[in-house]
Amino acid sequence: MAKQPAKKRTTRRKGSEKFGQKRLDVRNAMIKDIPGIANLVRRVYEDMPAYTHGEIRGQINNFKEGCFVALLDDEVVGYCATMQLAEALAFQDHDWDEITGNGYGSRHDPTGDWLYGYEMCVDPKVRGVRIGRRLYEERRALAEDKDLTGIVFAGRMPNYRRSRRKVDGPQDYLEKVVEGKLHDPVLRFQLANGFEPERIMEGYLPEDKASIANAVMMVWRNPYVERDQPVKKRIPRGVEAVRVATCQLQARQVADYDEFMRHVTYFVDVASDYESDFIVFPELFTLMLLSFEEKELSPVEAIERLSEYTPRLRDDISEMAMRYNINIIAGSHPTRMEDGDIHNVAYVCLRDGSVHAQEKIHPTPNERYWWNIKGGDKVEVIQTDCGPIGVQICYDSEFPELSRRLADEGARIIFVPFCTDSRQGYLRVRYCGQARAIENQCFVVLSGNVGNLPNVGNMDIQYAQSCILTPCDFPFARDGIAAESTENVETLTISDVNLADLQWARAEGTVRNLADRRFDLYRIEWDEDGKHPGKPRPRREPLGPAHPGGG
């Protein structure tokens, strides 16, 4: 006999509610909520590692519909995160790191038929407003809206350690809690919200000392869906078009800073006329500013001189982005940091007026030796009006773990400003850019310098063929190249890319590099927020003359 649906579907509470003088609001999580969520998690789980900002950013970017926050007078007091998974994956043996993609929620599968919950926390100091129940209602409403088979998660059993002498293992503990012979606040709350225990999952979360790493698989089945067999939802082949321009810039002698900026403005103007959403310039494109120096400067003097332009350059590019209504990835520029070190920094100036900075993580041997450039210590996605993006400066594209971090945080386009003096150097960047596009199922945009500069020691010759690269699968260009410029010619190359194709490829493509990772075998661990003081790198003298040696 078929199950009879309940009389009324779960409904979300609209807007906010007042409790005395306080206002409670439950809604989808936003990027701006990340600091508040991180603080909440630290308060709730004092005995376990907190999320990094990058992990929370990935959770929201990978499935914004499935992440909810509860705010009491604008303070985050509750958070829950979910993702869609196929039944076979959701119900097989797994641990928390494996199922969540190391905490980023990157295993979200829009074709999956189950909603998997992997985070639920409520501020213990907030009582009497049923925040946990409200977040569960949001999950249930989402599952019903999407006609999913149900919700599954692995729930904690925090009173197990203190009660272990009274029971014969975690299964016996679970049975006694269900029978009411023992009390566990988390399990009782989940049972009261209509979830049924499926089985014990040992070793689910080793950091959970109170549960001795155990968890209970809890299941709620959608009463509005009757299925004998699991189904796989399909991804509509929609259109989410973004127009990208890559500027292959010729190094030339300029009379002063203003002439250099007029040259940059020309290409920004053209890209804007073509209604591009992004334009990317090459690495170290500001080396042209050395061409009007009275004498050729030593490498150290040259970098010091360039760093003096940083505030003016950043402000002018930002103003240009707003004036021409285009997001500008301003190549890279040597910048003196607060600690006195020189870093190679890409400034990303968005058309809303915000300015972001991505430092080069891996200076090349030549950069380290001749220019004493130090590597940065953080890589993270940048939120734009076209979705999250990443930037990797030249040599960084040859380290796949950086791109994987960006993909886990939700990046769908990775911009690679580069500066290479030879075809060999260029091809290192090009081949690695293509590999990053394939393994992360994202678009990769390369922009390089051409030409040469007299009186500038590190710009003797340049080689580039800028391009816009795609994954290699049916929705994309035949050769994995959306567009490419002619070699060593100054030009602007423009192409439309469809971000919706990436979602389809990640879920239903011929290969699914992101989804098919073996989280049970390997993973990359990052320091808190991707920051680490590191150790000084030796300035080994490179073989050959002073030049960027990019790629």
Side-chain angles (χ1 to χ4, degrees):
M1 183 176 178
K3 290 187 293 184
Q4 295 298 316
K7 293 182 180 180
K8 185 178 181 181
R9 284 181 178 251
T10 303
T11 56
R12 290 188 174 93
R13 288 181 170 84
K14 305 297 183 182
S16 60
E17 298 178 68
K18 287 189 176 181
F19 294 87
Q21 298 299 314
K22 295 187 176 182
R23 185 184 66 184
L24 177 68
D25 186 23
V26 179
R27 57 163 171 76
N28 285 111
M30 302 178 184
I31 295 298
K32 67 179 182 180
D33 299 321
I34 289 176
I37 295 170
N39 290 334
L40 169 68
V41 172
R42 279 192 287 270
R43 293 197 302 273
V44 173
Y45 301 121
E46 295 180 351
D47 57 342
M48 289 194 290
Y51 287 125
T52 66
H53 284 205
E55 287 169 336
I56 302 171
R57 189 178 297 110
Q59 293 168 13
I60 297 172
N61 282 332
N62 285 311
F63 188 36
K64 184 176 180 179
E65 290 177 273
C67 296
F68 301 95
V69 290
L71 300 103
L72 193 61
D73 278 353
D74 297 325
E75 180 184 2
V76 177
V77 294
Y79 174 65
C80 75
T82 64
M83 57 187 170
Q84 285 176 241
L85 292 179
E87 180 172 305
L89 179 58
F91 283 83
Q92 72 177 17
D93 289 334
H94 60 264
D95 61 31
W96 187 88
D97 282 337
E98 177 187 352
I99 202 70
T100 65
N102 297 330
Y104 290 92
S106 57
R107 303 195 78 177
H108 167 65
D109 177 4
T111 68
D113 200 39
W114 282 82
L115 194 64
Y116 187 97
Y118 59 92
E119 182 55 75
M120 170 71 76
C121 59
V122 176
D123 194 327
K125 296 181 181 179
V126 179
R127 306 287 184 184
V129 292
R130 298 185 176 182
I131 291 172
R133 183 177 293 275
R134 293 166 190 274
L135 293 173
Y136 271 73
E137 288 174 355
E138 293 293 337
R139 278 184 176 176
R140 190 174 289 116
L142 178 63
E144 292 174 357
D145 290 345
K146 288 182 166 289
D147 288 324
L148 301 179
T149 303
I151 302 172
V152 58
F153 61 84
R156 300 179 65 218
M157 38 201 303
N159 278 4
Y160 174 54
R161 182 173 62 180
R162 69 177 64 175
S163 303
R164 63 184 307 186
R165 296 182 182 274
K166 304 176 184 178
V167 298
D168 185 21
Q171 181 63 42
D172 186 41
Y173 174 80
L174 171 62
E175 292 172 1
K176 283 183 167 56
V177 171
V178 172
E179 293 168 0
K181 296 178 181 179
L182 290 175
H183 176 70
D184 188 289
V186 173
L187 288 177
R188 291 305 305 172
F189 175 75
Q190 293 160 354
L191 292 167
N193 276 275
F195 288 86
E196 300 176 355
E198 185 85 5
R199 70 175 191 272
I200 294 290
M201 302 181 69
E202 297 182 359
Y204 180 76
L205 188 60
E207 296 85 355
D208 187 0
K209 306 302 182 184
S211 304
I212 316 182
N214 295 291
V216 181
M217 180 176 283
M218 306 292 288
V219 178
W220 172 82
R221 288 176 169 80
N222 187 350
Y224 304 98
V225 173
E226 186 72 34
R227 294 190 178 114
D228 296 326
Q229 298 293 331
V231 300
K232 183 176 181 180
K233 292 182 171 292
R234 302 303 302 273
I235 297 298
R237 294 289 295 277
V239 176
E240 191 179 349
V242 172
R243 183 162 292 177
V244 178
T246 174
C247 179
Q248 186 160 283
L249 192 66
Q250 180 172 339
R252 54 166 55 80
Q253 191 165 12
V254 294
D256 52 27
Y257 174 87
D258 291 336
E259 183 178 346
F260 167 76
M261 288 305 299
R262 285 195 295 271
H263 193 49
V264 172
T265 302
Y266 169 79
F267 286 103
V268 171
D269 188 11
V270 173
S272 177
D273 283 345
Y274 278 88
E275 298 183 345
S276 300
D277 296 292
F278 295 95
I279 181 172
V280 55
F281 287 93
E283 178 187 24
L284 297 173
F285 75 128
T286 55
L287 282 173
M288 277 188 256
L289 295 172
L290 298 176
S291 65
F292 55 85
E293 293 293 325
E294 293 183 359
K295 64 175 184 176
E296 182 174 339
L297 303 178
S298 70
V300 173
E301 290 173 332
I303 289 301
E304 184 65 37
R305 183 73 181 95
L306 281 175
S307 68
E308 297 173 5
Y309 289 102
T310 300
R312 186 179 179 187
L313 178 77
R314 189 172 49 216
D315 291 345
D316 288 349
I317 296 290
S318 178
E319 190 275 335
M320 195 184 302
M322 291 188 290
R323 177 156 42 99
Y324 288 96
N325 191 32
I326 188 171
N327 300 306
I328 303 174
I329 292 84
S332 77
H333 177 73
T335 298
R336 184 169 293 284
M337 313 306 286
E338 292 182 359
D339 61 4
D341 289 340
I342 296 287
H343 288 206
N344 190 359
V345 182
Y347 291 102
V348 179
C349 301
L350 304 182
R351 49 190 168 195
D352 65 2
S354 61
V355 179
H356 304 264
Q358 176 60 64
E359 301 168 17
K360 190 172 186 176
I361 305 299
H362 303 91
T364 63
N366 273 293
E367 286 177 288
R368 291 199 305 270
Y369 182 80
W370 293 108
W371 291 341
N372 198 24
I373 286 180
K374 300 295 195 301
D377 56 14
K378 186 168 80 170
V379 58
E380 61 185 17
V381 300
I382 297 168
Q383 302 295 142
T384 77
D385 56 356
C386 298
I389 66 167
V391 177
Q392 292 189 289
I393 303 173
C394 197
Y395 195 31
D396 282 348
S397 66
E398 298 175 30
F399 295 83
E401 57 270 23
L402 300 185
S403 295
R404 184 53 52 84
R405 165 70 178 257
L406 294 171
D408 279 342
E409 289 192 16
R412 295 182 291 178
I413 306 176
I414 296 177
F415 293 94
V416 181
F418 70 92
C419 180
T420 53
D421 62 328
S422 66
R423 180 171 171 80
Q424 292 94 330
Y426 161 71
L427 288 177
R428 287 195 294 270
V429 179
R430 170 69 174 253
Y431 291 153
C432 288
Q434 188 74 71
R436 304 297 85 86
I438 292 170
E439 66 199 17
N440 295 298
Q441 297 179 288
C442 66
F443 297 110
V444 176
V445 184
L446 274 62
S447 176
N449 298 292
V450 298
N452 57 74
L453 279 177
N455 211 38
V456 180
N458 291 341
M459 294 292 279
D460 303 311
I461 55 173
Q462 300 300 307
Y463 188 100
Q465 186 176 20
S466 303
C467 53
I468 300 167
L469 305 174
T470 76
C472 293
D473 212 335
F474 289 112
F476 308 103
R478 186 190 68 176
D479 299 320
I481 306 168
E484 63 183 342
S485 65
T486 303
E487 299 167 274
N488 292 334
V489 173
E490 184 173 64
T491 187
L492 193 67
T493 302
I494 302 174
S495 178
D496 287 335
V497 295
N498 183 11
L499 300 182
D501 285 340
L502 299 177
Q503 184 182 34
W504 181 90
R506 291 176 177 184
E508 300 192 55
T510 307
V511 294
R512 300 159 202 173
N513 305 74
L514 288 176
D516 290 342
R517 285 178 283 172
R518 288 292 302 276
F519 290 97
D520 56 325
L521 293 181
Y522 59 85
R523 66 179 180 178
I524 299 172
E525 292 190 6
W526 291 82
D527 291 308
E528 175 71 17
D529 281 334
K531 296 179 179 178
H532 182 61
K535 297 180 180 179
R537 299 291 304 277
R539 291 182 63 197
R540 297 187 180 93
E541 183 172 356
L543 299 176
H547 55 71

